[in-house]
């Protein structure tokens, strides 16, 4: 028995796992409707879910999107994962937080003093989160394939390229692609990517 766990991005849902069922014959695809909002909460929640879902399975794969990919990479790095399919993954949360601070005109000292600062777009900058991700960088050594949109506004090319090189992940770039894969053209590219990746043995 083989199980694929789908981890959605911000604003997504476990129901998105249904999209991957026809792309993964022979795999039981389940969606993870997690509640964690911080990496330390994800560490506990993701580990507990993975352990329950992997019981009795011959292999477990993770398909994760955006912030869900960050949580999965952070929380599941020591789990027995056969392979990971990462779609627009956030791989350097410290860099992303620093960029958000720059966009909002927030200095590090101001954030340290305030603790939390709400910014445009409904996000909240957190000094605790910044310190945590600095102290707990992602360490990943499992087989991984990354799908990255050329116009991803959250993760720079330099960041994703460096992560792929450091972890040995296979990196595919969609020309003109965005962080959120949602148009018919983008979804067709994603589907072809998944099918292509699955033809390659880990």
């Amino acid at each position: 028995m083989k199980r694929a766990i789908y981890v959605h991005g911000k604003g997504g849902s476990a129901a998105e796992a249904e999209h991957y069922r026809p792309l993964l014959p022979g795999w039981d695809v389940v969606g993870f409707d997690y509640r964690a909002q911080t990496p330390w909460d994800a560490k506990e929640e993701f580990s507990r879910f993975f352990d329950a879902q992997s019981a009795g399975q011959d292999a477990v794969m993770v398909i994760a999107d955006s912030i869900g990919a960050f949580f999965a990479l952070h929380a599941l790095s020591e789990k027995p994962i056969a392979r990971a399919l990462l779609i627009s993954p956030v791989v350097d949360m410290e860099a992303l937080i620093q960029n958000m601070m720059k966009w909002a005109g927030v200095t590090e000292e101001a954030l340290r003093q305030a603790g939390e600062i709400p910014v445009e777009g409904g996000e909240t900058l957190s000094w605790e989160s910044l310190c945590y991700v600095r102290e707990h960088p992602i360490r990943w050594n499992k087989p991984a394939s990354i799908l990255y949109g050329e116009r991803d506004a959250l993760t720079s090319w330099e960041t994703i390229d460096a992560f792929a090189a450091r972890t040995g992940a296979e990196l595919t770039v969609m020309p003109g692609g965005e962080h959120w894969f949602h148009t018919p053209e983008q979804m067709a590219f994603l589907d072809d990517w998944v099918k292509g990746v699955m033809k390659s043995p880990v």
Side-chain angles (χ1 to χ4, degrees), residues 133-176:
V133 296
R134 280 179 172 166
E135 296 167 4
H136 301 85
I138 292 172
R139 293 183 173 87
W140 187 263
N141 61 3
K142 308 291 191 301
S145 297
I146 297 171
L147 177 59
Y148 175 80
E150 180 186 29
R151 297 177 181 171
D152 192 316
L154 292 187
T155 301
S156 71
W157 162 252
E158 291 77 14
T159 296
I160 201 72
D161 186 52
F163 178 82
R166 185 173 73 251
T167 61
E170 175 190 53
L171 177 59
T172 299
V173 179
M174 179 182 177

Side-chain angles (χ1 to χ4, degrees), residues 67-90:
I67 187 66
F70 168 74
F71 285 151
L73 289 166
H74 173 70
L76 304 177
S77 61
E78 298 180 4
K79 301 296 183 179
I81 294 172
R83 75 192 317 162
L85 274 58
L86 308 173
I87 304 158
S88 302
V90 173

Side-chain angles (χ1 to χ4, degrees), residues 40-51:
W40 52 89
D41 286 337
K43 186 82 171 178
E44 178 180 347
E45 185 181 6
F46 277 53
S47 294
R48 186 169 60 246
F49 185 85
F50 182 90
D51 290 344

